[in-house]
Amino acid sequence: MIERTPLLNIATHLILLCGLVLILTPIWLAFVAATHTLQAVNSAPVELWPGDQLWPNLREAWAQSDFGPKFVNTLIVAIGVVAGKVTLACITAFSLVFFRFRFRMLIFWMIFITLMLPLEVRIVPTYAVAANALSPFQTILDVTGISRLIQAVSGIEVSLEWNLLNSYAGLILPLVATATGTFLYRQFFLTIPDELVEAARMDGAGPLRFLWDVLIPLSKTNIAALATIMFVYAWNQYLWPLLVVTDRAAYGMVVVQLSDLVPDQMTTGGGTPTWHLAMAATLVVMLPPIAIVILMQRWFVRGLINTDK
Amino acid sequence: MRRAHFKFSWIAAALLAPQLLIVFVFFYWPSAQALYWAFTLEQPWGGGNTWVGFDNFRKVLSDPYYWSSVRVSVIYALATTVLAIGMALTLAIFVDRQLAGYRAYRVAVIWPYAVAAPAVGLAFQFVFNPGAGIFSYINAVAPGWWDLSQNPWQAIAAIVVAGAWKQVAYSFVFFLAALQSIPRSLTEAAAMDGARPLRRMIDLQLPLLTPTFFFLLVINITDSFTDSFGIVDTLTGGGPFRATDLLVYKIYADGFRGFDYSGAAAQSIILMLLVMALTFVQFRYIERRVHYT
């Protein structure tokens, strides 16, 4: 708007700067703590300016938490969740929008309802399922008597077992099992004009060719938006990996590692709290998703708004 | 409804199957399992579960620790929501004026969204630490006044501030998007009628933000119930004296540390009902969301 509002402009900048100070201070203090020695961090007036110990602290924190393999694990899980979500959401939305069949709305609502209950709320029973992902089918077979029937006929005892604890599948699959994304695609597919479908059919394209050659190229922005959101979501998972992974050396994720770094009586044994290392590790862990959000800002904002998560 | 579509075939079924399978195994089955556990009790020497009706719920609801957990969760939900929405709204309205440095301000407010909850908890534990953080100044003057690990209200204040800090970015993105979707013609008309920027904020922008505001209110409250685990676990560990034992944290502690599956399941069911009720309210508002176009 073309107006001269010098006073209001100054006030605007002041308010925004105050907001920035509130937002940046905690992370600044954490960063400063990561650049000092153990003694400096624990001496009474808190340091406000960075010291020169950042690199040694980062190296020590990295070695102490054995971050190398854990970064690889976290990356595998994050990419797995992103790929799983992008693919599953796409094909599900595709068949819900472009086919007409009897229980379409029922299936739509069945998937839709999963948006209501986040993993944290149903954590205990989900954990039980992860101990044996085939237990639902086993129970169904037992209850319906089919397993007894099979045993009577063939002499084979039915016992289905697929333990997901301490595995990538166990980390990834439950995180994929919600409807986030399906609706992002659905909303977009609903805006595809009917003429495009008709034209494709007239040219002899089947549903799969239409999906691959028309829809997916058109959904590139959607895919980027969903992928950004999902990467951050998967990277920052805490409660689920904390439970599913007991073998931290092999399948640990970086964020979970933070729980071991809380400098309290348990970890320091009454000694001086190692804040400098804890803060250095915190910085390392939060850097990758922050980089993604800043680099992919446009898609990130779009994804956040359109997935309602 | 689409006019043109493909005929249903095995392809559609095959495309739907993976999602349905995964949702069944990791969503519907566990939810049903939670119901089953909530109404049964595991026998101490094995031999399956016995039906106990509403006993588990009665036990949970007569547990004073549960009610103190409910109380602190409500306090946490309301306080973080008010703080986060208030801050996000203020920042969004002023960032939307698009003065110099607009992009820098925007990035600076958005990035905390990417910080994992336990990292937030750990960073704030350092900030609020009585011995090493910024509060060491206060303790230098009044020794022992500030101590998270001793004073319950200080611990609650700490998780509220950390939780609100994490939520600001999300609300900010929505407010800013809503502000930017206000048609320019409206703003211009108001300006032509002599409304200065502050007047336009109060009489034009704020009323048009109401739907976004209600949407964010519900989302923030729901998130505070579900996303608080990481912050509590690294910042206070539920203490001192269970003062910050939020609902999700209590479910985790009872289920996985106390091995009381039935009690944890009953608590899960109550929390599920609560979250579903909130989500229902939210969808009502989303349906009525005002579109400016």
Side-chain angles (χ1 to χ4, degrees):
Chain A
M1 203 71 9
I2 308 160
E3 294 169 306
R4 278 180 49 81
T5 49
L7 271 180
L8 185 64
N9 285 3
I10 293 172
T12 303
H13 278 297
L14 277 180
I15 290 171
L16 289 177
L17 286 175
C18 284
L20 286 203
V21 167
L22 283 179
I23 289 174
L24 296 178
T25 306
I27 299 301
W28 173 255
L29 289 176
F31 170 71
V32 169
T35 60
H36 284 286
T37 56
L38 178 64
Q39 288 76 22
V41 167
N42 284 291
S43 60
V46 63
E47 299 278 352
L48 292 176
W49 293 106
D52 54 358
Q53 295 296 309
L54 180 61
W55 188 241
N57 285 346
L58 285 178
R59 279 232 309 249
E60 201 181 334
W62 184 282
Q64 188 191 28
S65 297
D66 192 22
F67 269 144
K70 283 169 188 129
F71 258 90
V72 176
N73 287 339
T74 315
L75 209 58
I76 291 175
V77 170
I79 290 173
V81 170
V82 168
K85 204 73 158 184
V86 165
T87 321
L88 269 187
C90 178
I91 58 176
T92 312
F94 172 69
S95 42
L96 281 177
V97 172
F98 290 99
F99 291 94
R100 197 169 293 175
F101 49 94
R102 214 197 240 156
F103 300 111
R104 203 169 60 101
M105 282 325 276
L106 177 75
I107 291 178
F108 171 73
W109 279 104
M110 272 179 65
I111 296 171
F112 189 59
I113 283 176
T114 62
L115 274 181
M116 279 188 152
L117 297 175
L119 184 58
E120 283 79 6
V121 178
R122 52 196 162 83
I123 192 80
V124 180
T126 310
Y127 176 77
V129 168
N132 180 6
L134 297 179
S135 66
F137 305 105
Q138 174 77 44
T139 311
I140 290 172
L141 291 182
D142 286 351
V143 170
T144 52
I146 295 176
S147 50
R148 222 174 312 145
L149 194 71
I150 296 176
Q151 193 173 9
V153 173
S154 63
I156 303 164
E157 193 185 339
V158 183
S159 86
L160 304 167
E161 182 144 10
W162 186 25
N163 187 341
L164 290 179
L165 303 181
N166 291 317
S167 72
Y168 292 124
L171 285 166
I172 293 171
L173 288 179
L175 298 180
V176 178
T178 59
T180 358
T182 308
F183 295 92
L184 182 69
Y185 281 107
R186 182 174 175 269
Q187 297 306 328
F188 172 68
F189 286 166
L190 287 176
T191 66
I192 301 273
D194 280 334
E195 288 73 16
L196 211 55
V197 187
E198 279 160 7
R201 289 184 58 188
M202 210 170 287
D203 288 344
L208 288 180
R209 175 155 293 274
F210 178 67
L211 173 69
W212 187 251
D213 281 346
V214 180
L215 285 181
I216 288 182
L218 285 173
S219 322
K220 269 182 192 154
T221 7
N222 273 320
I223 292 175
L226 185 62
T228 319
I229 294 286
M230 279 302 137
F231 184 87
V232 174
Y233 168 78
W235 187 280
N236 288 343
Q237 280 303 311
Y238 180 63
L239 179 52
W240 184 246
L242 190 68
L243 294 173
V244 171
V245 175
T246 48
D247 180 9
R248 292 254 186 100
Y251 293 101
M253 283 175 69
V254 283
V255 175
V256 178
Q257 206 55 33
L258 292 179
S259 70
D260 286 355
L261 290 165
V262 185
D264 55 12
Q265 252 68 38
M266 293 230 300
T267 48
T268 55
T272 322
T274 52
W275 283 114
H276 60 308
L277 295 183
M279 291 302 110
T282 308
L283 289 184
V284 170
V285 166
M286 65 193 197
L287 219 52
I290 290 177
I292 293 275
V293 164
I294 291 179
L295 290 178
M296 312 261 297
Q297 208 192 129
R298 196 151 60 88
W299 292 283
F300 165 72
V301 169
R302 177 196 284 255
L304 204 60
I305 286 171
N306 291 343
T307 55
D308 282 343
K309 176 61 224 172
Chain B
M1 199 57 177
R2 233 161 225 299
R3 278 177 293 115
H5 55 87
F6 294 99
K7 235 172 64 195
F8 185 76
S9 64
W10 61 270
I11 293 178
L15 292 179
L16 274 175
Q19 173 110 38
L20 286 179
L21 205 64
I22 210 170
V23 162
F24 169 72
V25 171
F26 291 105
F27 184 89
Y28 282 100
W29 189 264
S31 303
Q33 187 105 343
L35 267 177
Y36 175 68
W37 280 345
F39 287 103
T40 59
L41 200 60
E42 202 171 19
Q43 294 300 297
W45 317 111
N49 292 22
T50 47
W51 179 261
V52 294
F54 281 94
D55 269 10
N56 291 321
F57 289 95
R58 235 171 268 144
K59 213 159 53 188
V60 164
L61 293 178
S62 63
D63 178 6
Y65 287 127
Y66 183 72
W67 286 107
S68 78
S69 167
V70 169
R71 200 178 54 130
V72 72
S73 298
V74 170
I75 294 172
Y76 176 80
L78 295 180
T80 48
T81 304
V82 168
L83 277 178
I85 290 192
M87 177 110 177
L89 182 60
T90 316
L91 289 175
I93 279 197
F94 285 104
V95 166
D96 185 52
R97 296 199 64 219
Q98 309 208 357
L99 302 181
Y102 152 75
R103 274 167 208 287
Y105 284 129
R106 203 179 59 172
V107 177
V109 182
I110 288 179
W111 68 266
Y113 178 87
V115 181
V120 175
L122 201 53
F124 272 91
Q125 214 206 355
F126 171 69
V127 172
F128 288 142
N129 192 293
I134 208 156
F135 282 88
S136 53
Y137 285 114
I138 297 181
N139 274 3
V141 181
W145 180 79
W146 177 269
D147 192 352
L148 287 185
S149 59
Q150 295 300 325
N151 188 324
W153 284 107
Q154 289 173 358
I156 294 174
I159 57 168
V160 164
V161 170
W165 184 88
K166 183 163 168 40
Q167 296 282 15
V168 168
Y170 184 80
S171 303
F172 174 82
V173 166
F174 276 82
F175 277 134
L176 195 61
L179 282 167
Q180 290 179 343
S181 70
I182 293 176
R184 228 181 129 68
S185 54
L186 268 183
T187 320
E188 280 165 1
M192 213 166 308
D193 287 344
R196 309 273 294 158
L198 275 178
R199 170 64 46 201
R200 293 203 298 268
M201 275 178 202
I202 295 164
D203 283 349
L204 182 78
Q205 292 177 318
L206 283 182
L208 285 174
L209 283 179
T210 334
T212 316
F213 177 81
F214 279 115
F215 165 75
L216 287 174
L217 198 66
V218 178
I219 286 275
N220 268 297
I221 292 177
T222 318
D223 275 6
S224 80
F225 284 130
T226 57
D227 281 358
S228 50
F229 180 82
I231 290 177
V232 173
D233 196 38
T234 50
L235 184 46
T236 64
F241 322 121
R242 297 191 183 215
T244 53
D245 203 5
L246 296 185
L247 287 170
V248 169
Y249 196 79
K250 188 164 160 54
I251 291 176
Y252 163 79
D254 287 0
F256 294 105
R257 295 209 186 126
F259 297 106
D260 175 15
Y261 278 176
S262 297
Q267 292 177 42
S268 298
I269 296 287
I270 298 173
L271 188 58
M272 280 180 192
L273 290 176
L274 191 68
V275 171
M276 277 165 86
L278 280 169
T279 317
F280 180 72
V281 173
Q282 174 205 325
F283 284 131
R284 297 277 301 186
Y285 278 110
I286 285 181
E287 274 170 36
R288 295 181 187 171
R289 224 155 143 185
V290 178
H291 293 283
Y292 304 121
T293 42

